[in-house]
Amino acid sequence: MENLKRLVKEHPDLISLEVVEAGEGEIGGALKELLEVEGDLEELILETEGETLAFVRAPGKPAFVFARLKRGATLGFYRRLLKEIASEL
Amino acid sequence: MLELEGQFSVLDVLQILAYKPGEYEVRFGDEFLHIANGNVTFYSGGSPEKCVRAVARYRGAIKVRPTRARRAFSFPVDELVVRAIFEAPGEERGLPEEFADAAESVRKELGEGVCLAIFSEGGEPILLSGDEAEARRCWRVWEISSHKLVPGLRRLTLVAGQEICFFIKARHQVLMGKASARVGVGPLQEALDRLARKFWAGNGEPEKAG
């Protein structure tokens, strides 16, 4: 958890960073539904006008690293960063 | 010589000719195609892709006569029939031919197994090029994400196993493309952005995300 907070401080485009378990809470509930539709789901990137939400799944687990990114953030970089975090979950 | 007067579909005639030896001309409206031993070898309107769309659309009188077939390409009649049934009907719902051509070129660019669709906001495929069940399953991902994860969703990228999927929203429609993960997220997004610009060119640009 401290590690995630540190990463948010270090990366100005990161608004928030957390781990979400599928089935827990509102976001987790939606992720669970998504896993029922797409069991192999690995990454989900959702772009709105103001921000980007990125979900990267921990390999073989129903848990996701979830990042809120500012508009214009370099997606390639953050996808790699989130994958790295997810692989350690 | 076979003449059918009335509202006939070319597909009905083609299915008879698919496995019939010999060379034939099938004339429908102002257009015609030639068949040689189960393959379409010529279409007066141009490419096999245009032929697929033309035969899917046409209803009316049809004339068939034996002829010496012109040979511009060779496209199996049964494949043309299947594609006309499953791919082209979207065009009948009023989509411009230029878009169908652009979609065809994107399909070629992205390789085997590509699925392209334009959905209404309600999730009905207005245009579909690929497997409908698969497209509808992908739509569920958009639906769940836009309703339960983030309102105002404009673009969605999904990586799942060996497949990637990308959605772009424009006004009241959503363009979707699915391809093999080998294609790469970047190239899939670029190809669909291009397609979206083409499709919505006459009506302004698709909405852009951050």
Side-chain angles (χ1 to χ4, degrees):
Chain A
M1 203 60 191
E2 283 307 309
N3 197 21
L4 298 185
K5 279 183 187 168
R6 183 178 54 80
L7 284 170
V8 174
K9 275 185 188 166
E10 285 174 0
H11 296 89
D13 285 333
L14 257 181
I15 300 166
S16 68
L17 189 59
E18 59 186 295
V19 175
V20 182
E21 295 279 341
E24 284 181 15
E26 206 172 319
I27 291 176
L31 291 172
K32 190 180 173 198
E33 271 189 62
L34 286 171
L35 282 175
E36 283 163 8
V37 176
E38 190 58 82
D40 292 334
L41 176 60
E42 292 169 17
E43 283 181 62
L44 183 67
I45 297 160
L46 309 174
E47 297 171 66
T48 69
E49 197 164 353
E51 62 178 1
T52 299
L53 310 187
F55 297 85
V56 175
R57 187 177 175 186
K61 294 180 185 171
F64 292 79
V65 179
F66 165 38
R68 267 180 206 278
L69 298 162
K70 284 183 190 164
R71 180 189 175 127
T74 315
L75 271 178
F77 170 78
Y78 285 103
R79 281 179 65 205
R80 281 194 297 277
L81 179 69
L82 298 190
K83 271 185 196 174
E84 218 173 285
I85 302 167
S87 69
E88 290 165 10
L89 288 180
Chain B
M1 174 99 161
L2 167 73
E3 284 193 47
L4 300 170
E5 290 293 336
Q7 293 296 302
F8 289 95
S9 161
V10 189
L11 295 176
D12 298 332
V13 174
L14 289 182
Q15 285 178 77
I16 298 166
L17 296 175
Y19 301 102
K20 197 168 168 59
E23 302 186 9
Y24 303 91
E25 180 180 85
V26 180
R27 194 167 276 276
F28 51 104
D30 298 331
E31 299 184 295
F32 65 93
L33 58 85
H34 284 174
I35 292 174
N37 300 313
N39 292 302
V40 178
T41 58
F42 182 81
Y43 165 55
S44 59
S47 66
E49 283 73 27
K50 286 183 176 169
C51 185
V52 167
R53 294 196 292 276
V55 299
R57 248 191 333 244
Y58 183 81
R59 298 287 181 281
I62 297 165
K63 288 179 187 173
V64 181
R65 66 178 179 94
T67 190
R68 186 182 170 84
R70 286 197 221 172
R71 286 173 164 79
F73 49 78
S74 182
F75 196 83
V77 174
D78 51 358
E79 190 180 332
L80 183 128
V81 169
V82 168
R83 285 190 53 186
I85 292 170
F86 291 103
E87 294 178 21
E91 202 202 355
E92 289 182 322
R93 296 173 219 176
L95 283 164
E97 186 162 303
E98 304 80 60
F99 177 78
D101 287 342
E104 189 59 36
S105 90
V106 166
R107 276 172 63 86
K108 281 183 185 154
E109 183 183 330
L110 298 177
E112 287 289 307
V114 169
C115 180
L116 295 171
I118 290 181
F119 292 98
S120 66
E121 269 186 322
E124 275 307 305
I126 303 165
L127 177 141
L128 175 68
S129 177
D131 184 84
E132 182 167 356
E134 192 59 18
R136 286 187 185 275
R137 197 171 64 83
C138 291
W139 171 258
R140 280 288 294 147
V141 172
W142 173 271
E143 198 175 30
I144 295 167
S145 301
S146 59
H147 286 136
K148 299 189 174 174
L149 280 174
V150 58
L153 183 59
R154 302 285 177 88
R155 292 154 67 96
L156 181 156
T157 308
L158 172 88
V159 180
Q162 297 305 307
E163 288 174 332
I164 50 178
C165 198
F166 182 55
F167 293 78
I168 306 171
K169 184 175 191 295
R171 294 204 183 79
H172 303 297
Q173 291 166 341
V174 178
L175 169 65
M176 182 218 77
K178 184 173 185 176
S180 157
R182 283 195 303 274
V183 170
V185 168
L188 176 66
Q189 290 179 336
E190 281 165 27
L192 289 189
D193 273 330
R194 240 181 10 249
L195 193 57
R197 277 197 298 275
K198 175 106 187 166
F199 181 52
W200 283 290
N203 309 303
E205 293 289 299
E207 296 174 40
K208 292 229 168 28

